[in-house]
Amino acid sequence: MKKITKETYLQWYEDMLFWRKFEDKLAAVYIQQKVRGFLHLYNGQEAVLAGSLHAMDLEKDRMITAYRNHVQPIGMGVDPKKVMAELFGKVTGTSKGMGGSMHIFSKEHRFYGGHGIVGGQIPLGAGLAFADKYFKRDAVTLCYMGDGAVRQGSLHEAFNLAMLWQLPVVFICENNGYAMGTSVARTSHSTEIWKLGLGYEMPCGPVDGMDPVTVAEEVHKAVDRARKGGGPTFLEMKTYRYRGHSMSDAQHYRTKEEVEEYKKIDPITQVLDVIKDKRYATDGEIAAIDKRVKEMVKECEEFAENSDFPPIEQLYDVVYEQEDYPFLPHKL
Amino acid sequence: MKTIQFREAIAEAMSEEMRRDDSIYLMGEEVAEYNGAYKASKGMLDEFGPERVLDTPISELGFAGVGVGSAMIGNRPIIEFMTFNFSLVGIDQIINNAAKMRQMSGGQFNIPIVFRGPTASAGQLAATHSQAFESWFANTPGLKVVVPSNPKDAKGLLKSAIRDDDPVIFMESEQMYGDKGEVPEGEYTIPLGVAEIGREGSDVTIVSFGKIIKEAYAAAEDLDKEGISCEVIDLRTVRPMDSEAILKSVKKTNRLVILEEAWPFGNVATEITYQVQQHAFDYLDAPIVKINTADTPAPYSPTLLEEWLPNKEDVIKAVHKVLYK
């Protein structure tokens, strides 16, 4: 694995802070009704992404996840302005405004969605890895899911196939404790999600998902194994989300105290503490990062605001590869 | 021309395309070592090896999804369902992922995949194994739906389906795999979305597709002896539908019977009925009649199944009705 250096910490701090503020901005514009539909925010889970990105080869590895998916493509290199524009439904968005919050894609940056059906992306992740093995490419796919998704049959079918064919894929469950408003304990006899790998003899284990260093180390072991032909791994990231499942979630299922407890181990705070302890940056330098992040988020909002909505023809243009597909009329 | 079985037409189409393009693979239950549950992939494991002809566990959701995922980055998979009845446990991957990926990604990811296997009834298999979901799939934007009725069309259409850059549902029949028919000796394809006039006539148009069209041809033979000339249109592709071919024929015959093996509520025949009344209302000399299966799950008992399935006599009756005979 690449060494974790001063630069890594500073990068992590800036990235994670940007993701957090980006999501906070989305929450704000959602209330202003500039962003509609469902909105699932990543706040609290940032260490999982930061650690994973450090462990990946960003020149070739792939990422796919569910609908809590705004900041992962940014981590993979997508221009955050385009992500913001997608949520505003603008033609400059990552999917030209066709996908919205739950469906962010970037072919260029090897980010394969952005999927709205719980667990539906898990076989797709195995499929990406299947293609890489088929074509003897050297890439590894990181396939993410929430704790709710692991009770879908799709996980079990994909696990079996991935082990059977020894596919280069790392399955990562981001266990934030709640599937919408239902805790893991209320829907599962066994609450140790990582143990689901055992039934398939898949290497698996729990990981502290609030610490990017631990995440990076464990993901790197898994990516390395996959790249060397050792097949899939299943990691359970123990993490937490501060905000509701989506913006319409009143969060009656948990206490404020519980949320406060987790904020004590906030991934951004943890990284900032290291930066301060090791004097990786002065207070002035940290303030400069904070300022830069704030400006970048503002730029994203302005770009999204000032972009155009898509032309009506686009409704038809993106459905089929066939250019002259004869759509039926839907009204006079 | 040469005479081959329907199953051989399927195997020839897949094999010819796989020789042409290394990105194509065949995946499904029993497709490799068993040579296909209905021997529609006979010899393919031997020719292409286990990397390109893959047996799967009974995991339709899993392997349908693997197919779609691999199609996002370069493969052109052929995913076989032992029957489309079993596609229901994997239908999320077809409807939510294969059909919508291009649209949801703003055109970034087209999915060049074929899902194929038998559809509809095949003898006394009862309720769970006798279903025709053509209209379900055809209802979904993003998909194309092809239902051939003979070996020549099966081969030419399957080759086009495999070459198509959009997801295609390709539906066969257990009861057609043994059918023999003439196919051209050399390379040929048949374009998707183009119907064929299977029998020319002037008094009434009968539109059908898939194996049930045989009942229409049989009825047309009998009706010919009565002096009634039937034009039989084989749709071949259900989505997109060749509406022009239907309208042209109806404008000539002024009468329309539609034969479709499917439950009657909101099926392909319903759509044809709407389009014809919308675009050829003044040409119709009688109300359109559609013939479908009974509005019930398929029964097992032979006498009930006979009543449930449309047959030649039903077609003759319908033709008499639209001719006021």
Side-chain angles (χ1 to χ4, degrees):
Chain A
M1 187 175 75
K2 289 177 298 206
K3 270 192 174 167
I4 295 172
T5 61
K6 168 186 157 183
E7 284 70 32
T8 312
Y9 272 95
L10 291 173
Q11 172 92 45
W12 276 345
Y13 176 69
E14 182 158 349
D15 283 351
M16 291 199 289
L17 188 68
F18 178 71
W19 303 335
R20 176 88 45 101
K21 297 297 177 191
F22 187 88
E23 296 285 60
D24 285 346
K25 173 58 72 181
L26 285 173
V29 294
Y30 189 85
I31 290 163
Q32 296 167 19
Q33 301 195 348
K34 290 176 181 169
V35 168
R36 308 302 297 268
F38 292 132
L39 186 74
H40 311 90
L41 303 175
Y42 201 63
N43 299 35
Q45 301 179 209
E46 293 91 347
V48 178
L49 179 59
S52 298
L53 290 168
H54 186 79
M56 295 171 76
D57 183 338
L58 291 173
E59 295 298 310
K60 54 184 147 186
D61 291 341
R62 309 179 194 278
M63 189 181 281
I64 182 168
T65 187
Y67 43 80
R68 199 176 300 286
N69 71 322
H70 309 144
V71 299
Q72 292 89 338
I74 297 171
M76 292 289 285
V78 176
D79 183 348
K81 294 199 284 291
K82 291 185 177 178
V83 178
M84 186 77 80
E86 182 62 27
L87 278 114
F88 275 66
K90 299 296 181 70
V91 71
T92 52
T94 40
S95 292
K96 302 179 181 175
M98 302 306 281
S101 166
M102 297 188 284
H103 309 113
I104 310 291
F105 291 83
S106 173
K107 191 173 198 170
E108 184 189 351
H109 293 96
R110 294 173 310 287
F111 183 74
Y112 300 90
H115 293 275
I117 305 294
V118 175
Q121 80 282 12
I122 305 172
L124 294 179
L128 294 168
F130 177 91
D132 282 329
K133 184 167 184 188
Y134 184 96
F135 290 113
K136 298 183 172 58
R137 299 176 189 134
D138 192 21
V140 176
T141 295
L142 277 73
C143 177
Y144 294 80
M145 69 210 72
D147 45 275
V150 304
R151 307 303 166 186
Q152 288 276 33
S154 58
L155 173 120
H156 297 271
E157 297 193 19
F159 272 22
N160 183 50
L161 291 168
M163 281 302 289
L164 180 69
W165 294 329
Q166 289 292 289
L167 303 178
V169 56
V170 183
F171 296 108
I172 299 174
C173 172
E174 295 185 74
N175 179 4
N176 61 25
Y178 296 93
M180 202 165 148
T182 304
S183 69
V184 174
R186 287 183 57 225
T187 48
S188 312
H189 172 69
S190 167
T191 56
E192 294 295 315
I193 289 171
W194 63 271
K195 288 183 180 172
L196 291 173
L198 299 175
Y200 300 93
E201 298 183 352
M202 189 186 295
C204 54
V207 180
D208 174 3
M210 302 303 272
D211 172 21
V213 177
T214 314
V215 172
E217 286 168 353
E218 294 305 316
V219 172
H220 183 262
K221 279 184 219 162
V223 167
D224 194 47
R225 179 184 300 122
R227 207 182 312 279
K228 287 175 178 161
T233 302
F234 181 44
L235 299 174
E236 179 195 355
M237 301 288 170
K238 309 260 188 193
T239 182
Y240 200 75
R241 64 168 155 76
Y242 299 150
R243 289 184 174 272
H245 166 75
S246 67
M247 288 297 285
S248 57
D249 178 2
Q251 305 179 60
H252 295 309
Y253 49 85
R254 63 182 179 186
T255 61
K256 281 187 179 145
E257 291 73 29
E258 182 182 297
V259 178
E260 290 311 311
E261 277 304 302
Y262 274 96
K263 285 191 175 171
K264 287 179 192 162
I265 51 166
D266 182 90
I268 301 177
T269 312
Q270 286 197 53
V271 164
L272 187 59
D273 286 347
V274 173
I275 290 170
K276 285 180 176 172
D277 284 352
K278 300 207 171 178
R279 300 179 194 282
Y280 284 161
T282 63
D283 287 351
E285 286 164 340
I286 293 166
I289 293 174
D290 296 354
K291 187 164 174 261
R292 197 155 60 229
V293 162
K294 206 174 162 187
E295 282 167 3
M296 278 163 63
V297 171
K298 191 161 169 260
E299 273 177 40
C300 290
E301 186 188 9
E302 284 169 0
F303 175 80
E305 282 269 21
N306 296 332
S307 293
D308 292 328
F309 285 109
I312 295 299
E313 307 85 77
Q314 190 181 290
L315 189 60
Y316 295 102
D317 287 348
V318 293
V319 181
Y320 288 95
E321 193 74 9
Q322 180 185 339
E323 283 181 13
D324 56 349
Y325 184 86
F327 292 95
L328 292 180
H330 70 298
K331 57 186 177 185
L332 288 177
Chain B
M1 299 290 265
K2 60 180 180 182
T3 301
I4 60 171
Q5 288 188 331
F6 194 104
R7 59 167 58 86
E8 293 169 320
I10 297 292
E12 280 190 8
M14 293 193 291
S15 299
E16 287 177 17
E17 292 306 299
M18 284 176 70
R19 277 172 215 136
R20 193 182 57 76
D21 183 346
D22 288 343
S23 70
I24 303 166
Y25 65 82
L26 171 66
M27 176 183 284
E29 294 151 11
E30 311 287 6
V31 299
E33 292 197 10
Y34 199 84
N35 283 304
Y38 299 101
K39 308 297 176 202
S41 51
K42 196 174 174 190
M44 290 179 64
L45 173 65
D46 288 344
E47 179 174 355
F48 299 104
E51 278 84 32
R52 298 184 67 196
V53 181
L54 296 102
D55 281 325
T56 66
I58 301 168
S59 295
E60 284 83 3
L61 172 58
F63 66 75
V66 166
V68 178
S70 70
M72 291 179 84
I73 54 169
N75 279 119
R76 301 181 75 89
I78 305 167
I79 302 296
E80 177 175 315
F81 293 120
M82 196 180 287
T83 94
F84 268 95
N85 294 292
F86 308 157
S87 76
L88 294 195
V89 291
I91 202 166
D92 174 54
Q93 292 296 333
I94 303 172
I95 305 294
N96 276 316
N97 290 341
K100 300 191 175 84
M101 197 73 76
R102 191 176 192 283
Q103 191 262 14
M104 291 192 302
S105 66
Q108 293 182 72
F109 294 102
N110 64 303
I111 305 295
I113 193 169
V114 175
F115 295 102
R116 50 158 289 272
T119 179
S121 70
Q124 289 173 256
L125 296 173
T128 59
H129 283 241
S130 307
Q131 306 171 95
F133 296 121
E134 288 85 338
S135 59
W136 286 28
F137 291 114
N139 186 246
T140 304
L143 298 180
K144 297 177 181 177
V145 181
V146 179
V147 195
S149 68
N150 59 65
K152 169 189 65 94
D153 287 353
K155 183 174 175 184
L157 289 166
L158 183 52
K159 284 168 71 79
S160 293
I162 294 167
R163 293 181 192 188
D164 202 277
D165 289 327
D166 292 305
V168 180
I169 307 292
F170 192 91
M171 304 174 103
E172 304 153 17
S173 164
E174 293 97 325
Q175 290 180 325
M176 281 199 294
Y177 287 124
D179 287 0
K180 287 184 176 169
E182 286 196 330
V183 303
E185 293 279 351
E187 170 88 29
Y188 74 99
T189 58
I190 296 171
L192 306 189
V194 180
E196 184 177 56
I197 297 173
R199 180 189 174 107
E200 285 197 38
S202 54
D203 295 330
V204 58
T205 300
I206 306 172
V207 174
S208 189
F209 58 90
K211 78 160 193 290
I212 203 73
I213 201 171
K214 292 181 201 173
E215 302 299 322
Y217 287 127
E221 279 295 310
D222 284 9
L223 287 160
D224 191 56
K225 289 170 198 149
E226 284 181 37
I228 298 170
S229 165
C230 299
E231 179 144 297
V232 181
I233 295 184
D234 187 343
L235 277 184
R236 306 198 292 192
T237 302
V238 168
R239 183 186 177 102
M241 189 188 289
D242 189 351
S243 306
E244 285 308 309
I246 300 169
L247 291 169
K248 196 176 162 198
S249 179
V250 169
K251 286 175 183 177
K252 180 174 75 175
T253 66
N254 311 112
R255 296 161 208 277
L256 176 61
V257 169
I258 310 161
L259 170 64
E260 178 190 10
E261 185 182 341
W263 293 312
F265 191 101
N267 55 23
V268 175
T270 313
E271 174 60 27
I272 295 170
T273 305
Y274 171 79
Q275 290 192 24
V276 171
Q277 69 78 33
Q278 182 65 228
H279 302 295
F281 189 78
D282 292 336
Y283 291 88
L284 286 172
D285 286 344
I288 298 162
V289 173
K290 66 188 187 88
I291 309 163
N292 300 127
T293 65
D295 197 14
T296 71
Y300 167 73
S301 182
T303 52
L304 296 178
L305 181 62
E306 196 185 334
E307 170 59 24
W308 184 85
L309 257 180
N311 58 33
K312 179 182 80 170
E313 299 306 324
D314 298 326
V315 178
I316 291 171
K317 209 168 145 187
V319 168
H320 284 157
K321 166 113 177 153
V322 299
L323 284 161
Y324 300 105
K325 287 197 174 179

